[in-house]
């Protein structure tokens, strides 16, 4: 396992590996996700360089850390969570736009998220990501997706590709929903799961957060939308086809 950058944002010297995986391929990757246990799991799944060809050279838990680590290590591919403290994956893409556009050494981004919401998918693709896969993906498929993105391909979980095709096929700009814009990306995610009938404990498990944090997000959503309870919230989300 390579010496990965610690999640506190400090940057160590990237290990210069001349070896590749069993099939001769090699790619340098940074993991960006605010859940340390998830990063550890992904590292264990894909980061055995001699077997997979994937060298994890850095990790980050929020936007500022991500930008610092990506700039310092210049990986070929960044696995990027959509929901991050400090502005989300879209903010990381915005601040790393120059690296993405570098013709000689482009840094390419693959979104890896629990969310399968159309607005999340379209948002990061418009921001410059080369693909979007959900956290239900297998380790083997994730490794394959990483190498495909390294080669410049666009990669999507099957049902998500339709969101992108529909969005970019339309010549009309999507309408602005001022109420929805008041919510953070995480609040939108909680809103959608509440509207689908998930219990707080189920949402906490799905999003890798505590039940107390779910309750806080629901309270914030109700306050911002001036709603009284989850039943009104469900009707509000259904009317906007967010479910």
């Amino acid at each position: 396992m390579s010496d990965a950058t610690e999640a506190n944002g400090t940057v160590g010297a990237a290990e210069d590996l001349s070896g590749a995986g069993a099939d001769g391929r090699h790619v340098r990757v940074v993991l960006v996700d605010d859940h340390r246990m998830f990063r550890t799991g992904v590292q264990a799944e894909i980061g055995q360089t001699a077997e997979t060809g994937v060298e994890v050279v850095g990790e980050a838990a929020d936007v500022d850390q991500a930008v610092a680590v990506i700039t310092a290590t210049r990986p070929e591919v960044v696995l990027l969570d959509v929901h991050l403290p400090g502005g989300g994956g879209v903010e990381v893409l915005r601040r790393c736009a120059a690296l993405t556009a570098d013709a000689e050494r482009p840094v390419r981004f693959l979104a890896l998220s629990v969310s399968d919401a159309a607005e999340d998918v379209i948002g990061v693709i418009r921001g410059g990501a080369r693909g979007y896969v959900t956290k239900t993906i297998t380790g083997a498929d994730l490794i394959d997706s990483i190498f495909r993105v390294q080669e410049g391909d666009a990669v999507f979980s099957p049902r998500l590709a339709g969101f992108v095709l529909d969005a970019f096929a339309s010549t009309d700009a999507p309408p602005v929903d001022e109420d929805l814009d008041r919510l953070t990306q995480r609040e939108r995610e909680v809103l959608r799961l509440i509207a689908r009938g998930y219990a707080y404990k189920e949402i906490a498990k799905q999003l890798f957060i505590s039940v107390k944090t779910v309750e806080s997000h629901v309270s914030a959503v109700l306050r911002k939308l001036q709603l009284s309870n989850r039943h009104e919230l469900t009707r509000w989300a259904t009317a906007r086809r967010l479910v």
Side-chain angles (χ1 to χ4, degrees):
M1 185 180 299
S2 61
D3 292 332
T5 302
E6 292 297 330
N8 61 10
T10 59
V11 180
E15 187 177 355
D16 182 14
L17 292 182
S18 57
D23 59 2
R25 298 185 297 179
H26 180 253
V27 60
R28 298 171 69 252
V29 173
V30 163
L31 305 178
V32 180
D33 193 286
D34 60 342
H35 295 100
R36 187 180 186 90
M37 289 183 64
F38 179 77
R39 295 197 311 272
T40 300
V42 173
Q43 164 81 315
E45 186 76 20
I46 72 173
Q48 304 301 317
T49 308
E51 299 175 7
T52 66
V54 178
E55 178 192 358
V56 178
V57 298
E59 299 180 14
D62 60 34
V63 170
D64 288 340
Q65 291 175 16
V67 174
V69 172
I70 293 165
T71 302
T73 60
R74 292 297 296 266
E76 282 90 29
V77 177
V78 177
L79 289 181
L80 180 68
D81 192 13
V82 174
H83 304 293
L84 293 168
V90 172
E91 179 64 12
V92 175
L93 287 162
R94 185 188 69 80
R95 291 169 58 179
C96 291
L99 300 180
T100 305
D102 188 327
E104 295 186 0
R105 295 178 58 200
V107 176
R108 296 189 169 107
F109 288 80
L110 173 61
L112 176 62
S113 177
V114 70
S115 172
D116 61 358
E119 64 264 29
D120 286 338
V121 179
I122 294 165
V124 295
I125 297 304
R126 289 193 186 279
R130 293 294 304 173
Y132 194 116
V133 294
T134 61
K135 290 181 177 179
T136 57
I137 193 170
T138 65
D141 285 343
L142 180 57
I143 291 167
D144 180 66
S145 297
I146 290 169
F147 279 109
R148 287 176 59 192
V149 167
Q150 179 194 29
E151 294 164 1
D153 289 348
V155 180
F156 298 94
S157 294
R159 70 179 296 270
L160 306 185
F163 296 155
V164 180
L165 291 173
D166 290 344
F168 286 89
S170 175
T171 56
D172 298 326
V176 175
D177 189 324
E178 293 182 359
D179 289 332
L180 190 60
D181 284 348
R182 294 191 184 99
L183 306 182
T184 66
Q185 289 182 322
R186 180 65 85 187
E187 288 168 352
R188 294 184 192 188
E189 200 165 39
V190 171
L191 162 66
R192 187 175 296 105
L193 292 174
I194 284 287
R196 289 177 179 176
Y198 283 67
Y200 286 5
K201 287 184 179 179
E202 294 172 323
I203 296 173
K205 183 177 180 180
Q206 182 89 353
L207 301 182
F208 302 98
I209 58 179
S210 69
V211 173
K212 185 175 181 180
T213 301
V214 174
E215 292 172 349
S216 296
H217 284 313
V218 172
S219 295
V221 170
L222 293 173
R223 182 180 69 254
K224 290 179 180 180
L225 300 181
Q226 298 183 350
L227 301 175
S228 300
N229 53 57
R230 65 180 297 164
H231 300 295
E232 291 183 2
L233 188 152
T234 299
R235 287 197 297 270
W236 187 94
T238 302
R240 287 161 174 78
R241 298 182 180 179
L242 299 178
V243 181

